[in-house]
């Protein structure tokens, strides 16, 4: 009798291993994986628009109270700054500092190399099929 394969479990294990590898790299720079993802989001999106705490909450699907404490720590450690906007002094846009940008680039370079190692493991056809299957399963869950 063939052993039953649990797809959700295999996907979860792969996702956790990826997150652990990225978290381990981020820790070399004194940040957590979540802080690294926040730095990446701010860095990649602030060129086109102002980024606010609400954007982080929505993008990373993290509760407001959790984001507040993470951002306060990131500001204290000099990775980001909160700056008032002229339209509403209560609103604080998030700006990545030079220190934060350097760290974000190092972690992002690691992620690119990590993803390249995945791509190198699969043929182009396998990679296209893998992405197609991931998208299809993800869309199935969204229905």
């Amino acid at each position: 009798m063939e052993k039953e394969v649990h797809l959700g479990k295999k996907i979860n294990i792969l996702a956790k291993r990826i997150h652990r590898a990225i978290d381990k790299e981020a820790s070399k720079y004194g940040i957590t994986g979540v802080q690294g993802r926040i730095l990446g989001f701010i860095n990649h999106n602030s060129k086109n628009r102002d980024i606010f705490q609400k954007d982080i909450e929505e993008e990373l699907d993290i509760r407001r109270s959790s984001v507040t404490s993470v951002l306060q720590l990131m500001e204290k450690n000099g990775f980001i700054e909160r700056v008032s906007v002229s339209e509403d002094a209560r609103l604080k846009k998030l700006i990545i500092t030079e220190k934060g940008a350097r760290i974000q680039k190092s972690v992002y370079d690691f992620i690119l190399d990590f993803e390249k190692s995945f791509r190198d493991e699969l043929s182009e056809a396998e990679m296209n099929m893998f992405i197609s299957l991931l998208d299809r399963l993800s869309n199935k869950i969204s229905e």
Side-chain angles (χ1 to χ4, degrees):
M1 184 171 160
E2 193 174 314
K3 185 178 175 187
E4 185 176 352
V5 175
H6 296 280
L7 292 178
K9 181 179 179 182
K10 289 205 169 280
I11 292 168
N12 195 29
I13 288 169
L14 177 61
K16 283 183 179 185
R17 287 180 179 170
I18 291 169
H19 276 281
R20 267 193 221 115
I22 294 169
D23 290 352
K24 183 177 178 183
E25 181 67 16
S27 72
K28 293 178 184 177
Y29 303 97
I31 63 171
T32 66
V34 170
Q35 290 172 333
R37 287 186 273 287
I38 290 171
L39 288 175
F41 179 75
I42 294 170
N43 194 52
H44 289 102
N45 291 283
S46 63
K47 296 169 181 91
N48 305 319
R49 63 185 177 96
D50 288 343
I51 303 296
F52 300 95
Q53 178 171 332
K54 185 101 175 118
D55 299 315
I56 304 293
E57 294 166 13
E58 292 171 0
E59 177 67 20
L60 300 179
D61 193 27
I62 305 174
R63 287 185 314 256
R64 182 178 180 197
S65 59
S66 298
V67 173
T68 297
S69 56
V70 170
L71 291 178
Q72 286 172 342
L73 183 60
M74 291 176 73
E75 186 174 24
K76 179 183 170 195
N77 291 332
F79 303 134
I80 62 167
E81 293 177 357
R82 295 182 203 223
V83 179
S84 296
V85 293
S86 56
E87 308 87 57
D88 186 346
R90 295 171 299 174
L91 277 178
K92 305 268 191 211
K93 68 180 178 179
L94 304 171
I95 298 174
I96 193 167
T97 63
E98 191 176 310
K99 177 181 179 181
R102 276 194 317 272
I103 291 170
Q104 190 280 325
K105 181 178 181 345
S106 296
V107 174
Y108 186 65
D109 288 346
F110 170 82
I111 291 168
L112 292 178
D113 288 345
F114 190 78
E115 285 193 2
K116 183 181 181 316
S117 74
F118 269 30
R119 292 180 188 280
D120 290 348
E121 189 66 29
L122 303 173
S123 70
E124 187 175 344
E126 288 173 323
M127 183 54 102
N128 291 337
M129 176 61 77
F130 182 63
I131 292 169
S132 174
L133 292 171
L134 287 174
D135 289 344
R136 192 164 111 204
L137 292 172
S138 184
N139 290 336
K140 177 75 175 162
I141 292 169
S142 298
E143 291 177 351

